Amino acid sequence: METQNTDSFEVMDNDVRYYVYQHIAEHGHAPAAGKIAKDLDLTPGKATQSLKRLHEAHVLVLAPGSPNIWMAHPFSALPTDHVTEVGGKKFWGN
């Protein structure tokens, strides 16, 4: 049973990762944990835990003490001097 939980968390984390990158590419900013939870039909706690695991795996960077995404390489959620424009959308880079 524990293996199934681990496997399901891995699937959920991959879904969250994909969602984060797709949201940034489409909207130009990182989604909040609540938006991730709502759109992926997760509890807010599960979405936050997934973000924390992705942070611990160095997939993305969270703001200290929060589930807010600071960076999902190569995207930055905070303004930087490195701006790229693709398809009429501007993105901050790291």
Side-chain angles (χ1 to χ4, degrees):
M1 194 102 174
E2 190 171 330
T3 303
Q4 289 177 338
N5 287 339
T6 301
D7 291 343
S8 66
F9 281 137
E10 290 175 10
V11 169
M12 179 177 56
D13 292 348
N14 284 332
D15 289 347
V16 169
R17 178 183 185 179
Y18 178 80
Y19 176 86
V20 166
Y21 279 90
Q22 183 151 359
H23 188 278
I24 294 171
E26 289 179 9
H27 302 283
H29 61 88
K35 173 100 172 117
I36 295 168
K38 180 180 176 188
D39 288 353
L40 294 182
D41 197 26
L42 301 172
T43 65
K46 284 188 178 186
T48 298
Q49 288 302 314
S50 181
L51 288 170
K52 287 179 181 178
R53 284 190 299 276
L54 292 169
H55 172 83
E56 290 167 3
H58 304 284
V59 172
L60 47 80
V61 178
L62 299 178
S66 85
N68 297 327
I69 299 168
W70 266 6
M71 182 197 75
H73 185 70
F75 302 108
S76 173
L78 302 174
T80 69
D81 290 336
H82 309 287
V83 179
T84 300
E85 187 171 339
V86 178
K89 295 179 185 174
K90 291 185 180 181
F91 303 95
W92 296 306
N94 294 294

